Each structure stands twice: as structure tokens, then as C-alpha cells.
Amino acid sequence: MSLAHPSPPALSRYVASAPLGRFTEDDGTHWGYRDNARRSAKAPLVLLPGALGNGDTAWHVAQAFDAERRVVSVTYPGGRSPSQLAHGLAALLGHLDTGAVALWGSSYGAWWAQHVAAEFPQHVSALWLGNTFVDGSDVKASPLFDAAWLDAATDDEVIARWHAALAARPADLLRSVQLHMLHHGLPAGAFHQRLRQVAHAQAPAAVAVVARTVVCDCEDDPTITPVVRARVRALYPDARHLSLATGGHYPHIVAPQPLIAALRDWLA
């Protein structure tokens, strides 16, 4: 099948190497995942990327740890509350018989990962909160996350606005991945619903208490500003706070090696 916005070769190779699994909750909600099913004494690494696209956007991280531990990259549904997502992921982990996992989240994925750790601490042995936010007010300055517009817009209008914004970026790997994910990573309705969840996000009612918690951000992140970074860190005063010099909002795509080195230290 010819795609209007094909994936970069490295991403295509990862997708071809890891079959897509599917899981359906009792209420009919669908999840996707890629699981290398590698049995190891170490806790499995579960990957929850942000709102744009599917679990494949974390392919650099998945490949980096493929030889040494079980890695599960997750494509989660849109339009679900954080508690519903937490219960859904817990059901998926039970289905996969993972035991306790090291849970890596980025942006929106990290935001709702907090709810998994708070509601199901027995499932989370280590928590990574990367490039994330506290609530919807942290991103409201961006027209792409304008809550009133997202509530009124059609799915096609959302895709069109995001396409215009992404297409205006310099032609690089990140733009290629973003455009591919925008048009082929998720159904338009699921992406729209995720964005509405971000725009209307409320601060977590309960802060996750996990022994190995890292709050990570990037100094050049245009989405998560210094003020927002400080707000997130304030939620976790006892966590390890890590700032990467580069990586923008997508270090797992644009600067994976420093991130992977930090993840290796976190998992050690």
C-alpha cells in the first residue's frame, strides 16, 4: 500500500520486525502493542509515547533494549479518562503476564502514566515521566491545543490544522515521523479525542509514589516551558530530576542516544 506520508526507513524496519498485537477490554475498547516477548529476570520496559501517533514512535528506545529485556510499546485508545486508561493498561499487562514493569511515558503518555502508578502501584517498579505537564493550562497557549476549538472542530479540521503546522517545519526526521503518524498512525477520531484529553487535563489527584521515579525534561523543549517543567518537578520533590540539553519535545526521536543512556542508568 502506498502511503502519502511514508515512515522513515528506520521506523519501517522496526515495524516489520515486531508484529502488532491487539487487546480488547471487556467494554470493547481496543489497544495495540508490540511485544518482543523476551523472557528476562529484569522488569519489562513498557513504553507510552505522547498523543501524536502510536507506540511505534518510541522505536529507538524499543530497539536499544531489545536484546536485554522484554519491551512492550503501547498504542492506547483516545477519548478515555486517565483512570480508564490506567485500568485498561493494567488489564493489558495482566493479559501479557508481565508482572511489575518499568513504565516510561512521554508527554501525554507520561501524564496518564502517573495514574497507573498511583492506582496500580503493584504493576509499576520504576516510573519515567518525560517532557510532561501538570494540566491543560500548561499547553493552552498553543492553537493546536486550544480546548474550545478542539471541542467544536471536526476530525478533518483537526488533522488539517496539525498538518499545516507540521508541514511548515524544516524537512527532517522529526517532521517525517510526525506527518506519517498524523496521517497513518491513528484514526483521526482517536487522535482528536487524545488532544481533547490533553487540553482538558486536570492535575493528578494523587501523586504516584514509586521508588525509582525520574522526572526528565529537555532544555530546548518548545512545548514544555521552564515554568511548566518547574511545576512538574514540584509534584515530585523526592524524584530524580534530569534535564537533557537537547531533544526538544521528542528526545526519543531527535536525540535518542543521550536519552537511552539516561534510561539505562535508570533501569540499572
Side-chain angles (χ1 to χ4, degrees):
M1 180 177 64
S2 177
L3 300 181
H5 298 279
S7 66
L11 174 55
S12 296
R13 287 192 295 270
Y14 167 69
V15 169
S17 71
L20 179 65
R22 299 190 184 279
F23 171 72
T24 303
E25 293 183 64
D26 291 340
D27 65 0
T29 300
H30 299 292
W31 294 66
Y33 63 90
R34 298 192 194 276
D35 179 7
N36 67 356
R38 189 178 301 282
R39 299 300 167 181
S40 168
K42 302 174 182 177
L45 174 59
V46 174
L47 307 176
L48 302 178
L52 176 57
N54 56 40
D56 298 340
T57 61
W59 87 91
H60 280 304
V61 177
Q63 289 179 324
F65 292 95
D66 177 70
E68 59 197 76
R69 72 173 61 223
R70 187 177 185 183
V71 182
V72 182
S73 56
V74 179
T75 298
Y76 47 86
R80 308 283 283 175
S81 72
S83 182
Q84 288 173 320
L85 288 168
H87 280 76
L89 182 65
L92 171 61
L93 297 180
H95 170 73
L96 296 176
D97 191 25
T98 62
V101 305
L103 187 59
W104 174 88
S106 176
S107 191
Y108 174 54
W111 180 79
W112 71 263
Q114 298 173 82
H115 294 265
V116 182
E119 296 190 43
F120 298 94
Q122 71 275 20
H123 288 319
V124 183
S125 61
L127 180 65
W128 183 283
L129 304 175
N131 301 80
T132 196
F133 52 92
V134 175
D135 56 42
S137 70
D138 292 331
V139 295
K140 68 178 182 180
S142 170
L144 296 176
F145 291 100
D146 180 272
W149 174 74
L150 286 168
D151 289 345
T154 66
D155 295 344
D156 288 343
E157 288 169 340
V158 170
I159 296 298
R161 178 176 285 192
W162 272 75
H163 177 91
L166 298 179
R169 284 182 38 80
D172 56 13
L173 174 64
L174 179 58
R175 188 182 76 161
S176 179
V177 172
Q178 288 177 315
L179 286 173
H180 174 72
M181 288 295 168
L182 179 68
H183 293 285
H184 309 293
L186 287 174
F191 177 56
H192 186 183
Q193 291 169 344
R194 285 186 180 188
L195 295 179
R196 292 189 64 212
Q197 289 293 317
V198 173
H200 292 288
Q202 301 295 311
V207 172
V209 180
V210 176
R212 289 189 293 154
T213 297
V214 172
V215 175
C216 181
D217 50 51
C218 295
E219 294 177 8
D220 61 346
D221 189 336
T223 303
I224 305 302
T225 65
V227 171
V228 178
R229 294 171 217 162
R231 292 190 73 203
V232 176
R233 291 182 177 207
L235 287 180
Y236 293 91
D238 297 325
R240 180 185 173 199
H241 298 158
L242 176 65
S243 186
L244 302 177
T246 60
H249 194 57
Y250 301 90
H252 51 289
I253 296 175
V254 304
Q257 292 313 313
L259 173 65
I260 289 166
L263 291 174
R264 199 172 297 281
D265 181 60
W266 167 62
L267 294 170

